Amino acid sequence: EPEVTQTPSHQVTQMGQEVILRCVPISNHLYFYWYRQILGQKVEFLVSFYNNEISEKSEIFDDQFSVERPDGSNFTLKIRSTKLEDSAMYFCASTGATLEQFFGPGTRLTVL
Amino acid sequence: AQSVTQLDSQVPVFEEAPVELRCNYSSSVSVYLFWYVQYPNQGLQLLLKYLSGSTLVKGINGFEAEFNKSQTSFHLRKPSVHISDTAEYFCAVRTGGSYIPTFGRGTSLIVHP
């Protein structure tokens, strides 16, 4: 069964450093998303991406964040200068014709 | 904006007992409703969804949920839980005009032997 994959599973970084979280959505899906989940809190929408551009973003997704689909398979989330409060679980998701979202296993980002 | 309320942050229950996890949402003209499960150290997995039709929806692992429009609820139920059902459960709501679901805060289901 096709699935969304994410790498790395755990990323530890120093405050102020740039990080890139990688996702490989399901191959025939067209909509891609990033969510985050701060420990003990709810899943929060960050951004959606369609047709090589951002279709929707939340207020969390400020200038420190960017997304890219550098090739036909990867979908990345970049945080330019990480802050302590960026520590969270980041989930990628993709959607196909059924509009059901399929989530990846997540990347745990720890900012020290 | 749509909001989702999961009233219970934690639900402890004994194995083989029935369980209900509650979810209420703010009303809208048309909504699509989802329950996701998150096992420890894993991503979100879709348990079931309501898009249209029968208000009683059956999902994986013996779970079911009932859409109640008048009470704006979508409670999740299972008649007999297993230890393996211990996980975090998230209710999510999407309105007809958006592809972005709004998630509740989650309910931690803890099944004791």
Side-chain angles (χ1 to χ4, degrees), chain B residues 32-46:
Chain B
Y32 305 112
L33 301 155
F34 307 83
W35 274 99
Y36 288 88
V37 60
Q38 183 183 25
Y39 297 106
N41 301 315
Q42 294 187 29
L44 297 166
Q45 180 183 0
L46 183 68

Side-chain angles (χ1 to χ4, degrees), chain B residues 10-58:
Chain B
Q10 205 172 80
V11 173
V13 65
F14 287 106
E15 195 173 20
E16 298 183 6
V19 71
E20 178 179 85
L21 307 183
R22 295 179 292 171
C23 173
N24 288 86
Y25 61 94
S26 56
S27 64
S28 181
V29 175
S30 64
V31 292
Y32 305 112
L33 301 155
F34 307 83
W35 274 99
Y36 288 88
V37 60
Q38 183 183 25
Y39 297 106
N41 301 315
Q42 294 187 29
L44 297 166
Q45 180 183 0
L46 183 68
L47 265 182
L48 49 77
K49 61 187 176 187
Y50 171 79
L51 302 180
S52 65
S54 173
T55 57
L56 183 63
V57 180
K58 294 189 183 298

